[in-house]
Amino acid sequence: MKFFLYFPLIFLSFSLSSAAKCHPDDESGLSGFKSAITQDPSGMLSSWKPGTDCCTWTGITCLSGDRVTSLSLNGQPQKPNSFLSGTISSSLVKVKNLGGIYLQDLGNISGNFPDFISGLPELKYIYIENNKLSGQIPANIGKLTQLEALSFSGNRFTGPIPSSISQLTQLTQLKLGQNFLTGAIPNGISQLKNLTYLDLQHNQLSGAIPDIFSSLKKLLFLKLSFNKFSGNIPTSIASLAPQLQYLELGHNVLSGKVPDFLGKFHSLDTLDLSWNQFSGTLPKSFSNLTKIFNLNLAYNSLTDPFPVMNVKGIESLDLSYNQFHLQQIPSWVTSSPIIFSLKLAKCGIKMNLNNWKPAQTYFYDYIDLSENEISGGPVELLNRTDYLVEFRASGSKLKFNMDSLRIVKTLKVLDLSRNLVFGKLPKAISGLDKLNVSFNNLCGEIPKTKFPASAFVGNECLCGPPLPSSSCKCVCGK
């Protein structure tokens, strides 16, 4: 009998010692990390309790016996309490087997570049994204030669990209987008021959895009949008044609003609050249871009003729504000079974919208046909959309009864200004975020909304707030 009483005590003692299994250096290092966190409203680190097994803590992975190999904490931007405030403690240097640090979307992690990472010999993956780290990226970053992925996207780093980054020759991913980096792209990036992903977008980088891409044979993603780059598209980008999938150069000061070699990018999914100073005609070779899903050439000075495209299914197209005279919405757009965004503002389109019969309307989220000579009305089109978020068709010749337009619940922006629209305003417009129906032939009382008078002016028969009573030239309700 004494044996059976004793056995459970032995078992309980074994279980407790097993539960506490954790290398003391790892526990100390992680506890130091937690102590530097000043706010944790969602209790993300509530399982990090001294004396318990580190390998069972939230965000911790152990693939090497009792040693911690990965730290992964992720916020959820859609949940306001899912963040951490504080700094990244240098005590993490004690976690010697750490191979990956993933601190993503935590929002309020601040401080400078975590220099201690140079003391972690096994570290290969760093993703510290969408936080508030600041200061400069240190010049000695080149010492981290074991790194295979480095991402500090979405922080507040300033200053130049250090030239020593060229020493990180094992990198497959370099993501420094959405910071405040300045200066030029270091030529030494040409040494990173294993790169598949280069993201420097949303910074303040300037100068010419260096002609360094001939050696980057594995590159699939090249994202340089939203900077201050000037000059032409470098010719060495042509060497990326066999495999490049994303080429994003929008929102810069690039100029010259769109190069003919872009037509050789048969694997291209996304091409963004928008908001630059490109001029002249597009190369006929664009007809070879049969797999492209997202094409954005808006806000340039491109001229006719627009090349005949052989795209089987476009998802997103924006040709707005160039010098095109398309006459019609292209047939390869109309026939697309998957398109969700169509923006053809001021593209010289002359057509009756009642005659446009797209293959599908179900997926449409955004449509912008402003500043064209489009007659008819969008009623049939919009009444067949269930997920439309934005419709713009200002400055055209649309003529239809506003009463017959269905306002779907997803719609947030509606701009029908400077047309010939008539009828009354439906009450459903009150659910929109933005509305402009100014300078039409609308009549009746304005439903109660949050919009300013400028959204309704120019309709002689509209009455009620926010318009002044003296503006109405008829009696409301009659």
Side-chain angles (χ1 to χ4, degrees):
M1 180 64 68
K2 290 182 179 179
F3 172 79
F4 290 105
L5 290 172
Y6 185 61
F7 177 76
L9 293 176
I10 296 175
F11 181 77
L12 178 60
S13 175
F14 175 80
S15 298
L16 289 174
S17 64
S18 175
K21 183 180 181 182
C22 178
H23 194 284
D25 287 348
D26 291 350
E27 180 177 353
S28 176
L30 294 173
S31 296
F33 174 85
K34 182 178 179 180
S35 67
I37 299 301
T38 57
Q39 288 185 315
D40 179 12
S42 65
M44 199 178 304
L45 304 181
S46 59
S47 63
W48 290 34
K49 298 176 180 178
T52 60
D53 186 358
C54 294
C55 299
T56 65
W57 294 357
T58 299
I60 300 302
T61 302
C62 299
L63 297 177
S64 180
D66 64 342
R67 297 309 303 258
V68 172
T69 56
S70 175
L71 166 60
S72 179
L73 298 171
N74 298 281
Q76 299 179 53
Q78 68 274 19
K79 295 183 178 180
N81 286 334
S82 181
F83 67 88
L84 295 178
S85 296
T87 58
I88 303 174
S89 173
S90 60
S91 68
L92 281 181
V93 76
K94 298 177 182 179
V95 191
K96 291 296 184 184
N97 285 40
L98 204 57
I101 298 178
Y102 308 87
L103 304 176
Q104 297 167 293
D105 297 308
L106 297 175
N108 292 330
I109 299 295
S110 58
N112 294 328
F113 188 95
D115 286 328
F116 67 84
I117 60 178
S118 61
L120 294 171
E122 303 298 322
L123 192 61
K124 293 183 178 180
Y125 307 99
I126 300 175
Y127 290 87
I128 304 179
E129 301 176 331
N130 299 320
N131 289 289
K132 294 179 180 178
L133 297 184
S134 58
Q136 294 196 9
I137 299 173
N140 63 357
I141 192 174
K143 294 180 179 180
L144 305 175
T145 55
Q146 78 278 11
L147 287 184
E148 295 182 16
L150 176 62
S151 177
F152 282 100
S153 293
N155 282 284
R156 297 177 176 180
F157 287 113
T158 56
I161 300 172
S163 59
S164 64
I165 211 160
S166 63
Q167 299 169 35
L168 307 183
T169 56
Q170 300 303 310
L171 281 184
T172 60
Q173 295 190 12
L174 177 59
K175 300 170 67 178
L176 301 176
Q178 294 176 299
N179 282 284
F180 300 97
L181 299 172
T182 54
I185 297 177
N187 287 330
I189 284 181
S190 63
Q191 303 301 313
L192 309 183
K193 298 180 181 180
N194 292 312
L195 273 187
T196 61
Y197 203 121
L198 178 59
D199 178 4
L200 304 176
Q201 63 185 336
H202 287 274
N203 279 289
Q204 297 172 17
L205 300 170
S206 59
I209 299 173
D211 212 6
I212 58 173
F213 298 96
S214 297
S215 59
L216 304 182
K217 302 296 185 183
K218 299 180 181 179
L219 201 61
L220 302 176
F221 298 81
L222 178 56
K223 299 189 175 187
L224 304 178
S225 296
F226 293 91
N227 280 288
K228 299 176 181 179
F229 294 122
S230 57
N232 298 331
I233 296 176
T235 56
S236 62
I237 284 183
S239 64
L240 306 177
Q243 77 283 346
L244 195 71
Q245 297 176 13
Y246 287 75
L247 178 58
E248 300 181 16
L249 305 176
H251 291 261
N252 282 289
V253 202
L254 299 172
S255 58
K257 299 192 70 172
V258 175
D260 183 69
F261 63 68
L262 289 182
K264 299 178 181 179
F265 282 64
H266 301 304
S267 300
L268 207 59
D269 175 292
T270 295
L271 175 62
D272 182 2
L273 304 179
S274 64
W275 290 87
N276 279 288
Q277 298 176 5
F278 292 114
S279 58
T281 59
L282 289 168
K284 293 181 180 179
S285 61
F286 260 50
S287 62
N288 298 324
L289 300 178
T290 58
K291 294 183 179 180
I292 198 161
F293 289 116
N294 304 288
L295 178 60
N296 191 347
L297 304 175
Y299 291 92
N300 281 286
S301 299
L302 300 171
T303 58
D304 296 325
F306 191 87
V308 176
M309 301 285 286
N310 295 308
V311 182
K312 303 303 179 185
I314 192 84
E315 290 183 352
S316 173
L317 176 67
D318 192 347
L319 305 179
S320 302
Y321 299 104
N322 281 282
Q323 297 173 23
F324 295 131
H325 299 84
L326 300 182
Q327 301 296 322
Q328 301 286 323
I329 296 175
S331 59
W332 50 276
V333 175
T334 301
S335 63
S336 175
I338 56 175
I339 189 166
F340 69 87
S341 179
L342 175 62
K343 297 180 179 180
L344 299 175
K346 204 172 183 180
C347 279
I349 297 174
K350 299 180 179 181
M351 61 182 291
N352 188 315
L353 201 57
N354 294 327
N355 298 330
W356 187 50
K357 307 295 181 184
Q360 72 82 20
T361 59
Y362 183 82
F363 295 112
Y364 269 112
D365 290 334
Y366 303 95
I367 299 176
D368 187 352
L369 301 174
S370 303
E371 310 295 335
N372 286 293
E373 295 185 42
I374 298 176
S375 59
V379 174
E380 184 179 352
L381 170 66
L382 299 191
N383 285 4
R384 290 191 291 129
T385 63
D386 289 322
Y387 299 102
L388 193 67
V389 177
E390 185 173 307
F391 182 79
R392 296 177 183 270
S394 63
S396 289
K397 298 179 179 180
L398 295 179
K399 188 175 184 180
F400 67 97
N401 190 336
M402 190 74 181
D403 289 340
S404 58
L405 186 65
R406 181 172 69 107
I407 308 292
V408 295
K409 292 181 178 179
T410 56
L411 192 65
K412 298 301 179 186
V413 178
L414 180 62
D415 187 351
L416 297 171
S417 59
R418 294 177 289 121
N419 279 284
L420 304 170
V421 185
F422 60 92
K424 295 181 178 181
L425 288 170
K427 292 182 179 180
I429 64 169
S430 61
L432 300 174
D433 290 342
K434 292 182 179 180
L435 173 71
N436 193 345
V437 291
S438 60
F439 299 98
N440 279 284
N441 297 320
L442 296 167
C443 198
E445 191 163 1
I446 299 172
K448 186 177 181 180
T449 72
K450 57 189 175 185
F451 306 114
S454 58
F456 305 103
V457 296
N459 291 276
E460 293 185 352
C461 198
L462 273 185
C463 297
L467 293 176
S469 57
S470 60
S471 67
C472 186
K473 293 190 178 181
C474 68
V475 179
C476 289
K478 293 187 179 182

